[in-house]
Amino acid sequence: MNFWTYLLPALLLFLEVGFPFGLFVPGGDTLLLALGALAGEGRLALFPLLPILLLGSYLGHGMGYGLGRILGPKVIKRFPERLRQQATRLLNRFGPSALLVAPSVPGLRTAVPFLLGALGFPWLPYLALAALGSLLWTQGLVLLAYLVGERLPAWLLWPVLLLLLALALLRRKPGG
């Protein structure tokens, strides 16, 4: 496999986590599961896949936090109200450790870094928690799918992944 095969998914994670339009782009979880399944089938190598995905997510967290610090209150108003309330509840309940959960929840993986930046959360603890949250999310999903991909035939695995993607897309539709 060439360099872009590994870099492009990391770039997609960076964009989804780091920028507010990540709120409208589903697929981070499905992407990680698909990549893990491909690795389980022997089509991708876990190394460099795991570290580059971790890096893409982590840099996205840094970008989201930085944008929150710079743009903060001006942009928060543009987030969907439901998502702002959900992210605020998560932050109120778990505090900064919400960063460990947020990457696993579509929408929140974009909103929480931005909100913590806008709220002025100290950057050093943020970077440590973002690293751990990125590690748990990227490595956990890829390795889970890798193990499943090693054991299940492709004819069974890929329809399940396509169904997950379809559900994510349907959930994003207004009224859906």
Side-chain angles (χ1 to χ4, degrees), residues 133-148:
S134 290
L135 180 76
L136 293 172
W137 178 53
T138 60
Q139 315 303 278
L141 286 181
V142 169
L143 290 173
L144 172 69
Y146 174 82
L147 294 172
V148 171

Side-chain angles (χ1 to χ4, degrees), residues 14-173:
F14 169 76
L15 293 173
E16 182 185 6
V17 174
F19 292 94
F21 60 78
L23 297 171
F24 309 106
V25 180
D29 297 330
T30 309
L31 174 65
L32 292 172
L33 291 169
L35 292 168
L38 286 169
E41 292 177 355
R43 296 183 187 182
L44 293 175
L46 281 178
F47 185 84
L49 184 62
L50 290 173
I52 200 163
L53 291 174
L54 172 63
L55 184 62
S57 174
Y58 184 65
L59 292 175
H61 273 88
M63 178 61 71
Y65 177 85
L67 287 173
R69 283 285 245 215
I70 295 167
L71 304 174
K74 295 176 199 168
V75 176
I76 287 176
K77 291 183 268 185
R78 295 179 186 227
F79 278 60
E81 179 64 29
R82 179 191 57 77
L83 187 60
R84 278 190 309 210
Q85 290 173 354
Q86 190 179 12
T88 303
R89 279 195 309 271
L90 184 71
L91 286 172
N92 287 337
R93 183 169 180 195
F94 296 105
S97 62
L99 274 170
L100 303 179
V101 176
S104 300
V105 182
L108 288 184
R109 74 175 128 253
T110 300
V112 168
F114 188 88
L115 287 172
L116 285 172
L119 295 171
F121 186 77
W123 68 275
L124 207 52
Y126 174 84
L127 291 176
L129 288 167
L132 187 55
S134 290
L135 180 76
L136 293 172
W137 178 53
T138 60
Q139 315 303 278
L141 286 181
V142 169
L143 290 173
L144 172 69
Y146 174 82
L147 294 172
V148 171
E150 279 187 321
R151 289 165 178 75
L152 287 181
W155 65 267
L156 182 60
L157 181 64
W158 289 105
V160 170
L161 288 174
L162 289 173
L163 179 62
L164 288 173
L165 179 60
L167 290 173
L169 289 170
L170 288 173
R171 217 179 83 212
R172 299 266 183 187
K173 282 189 172 183

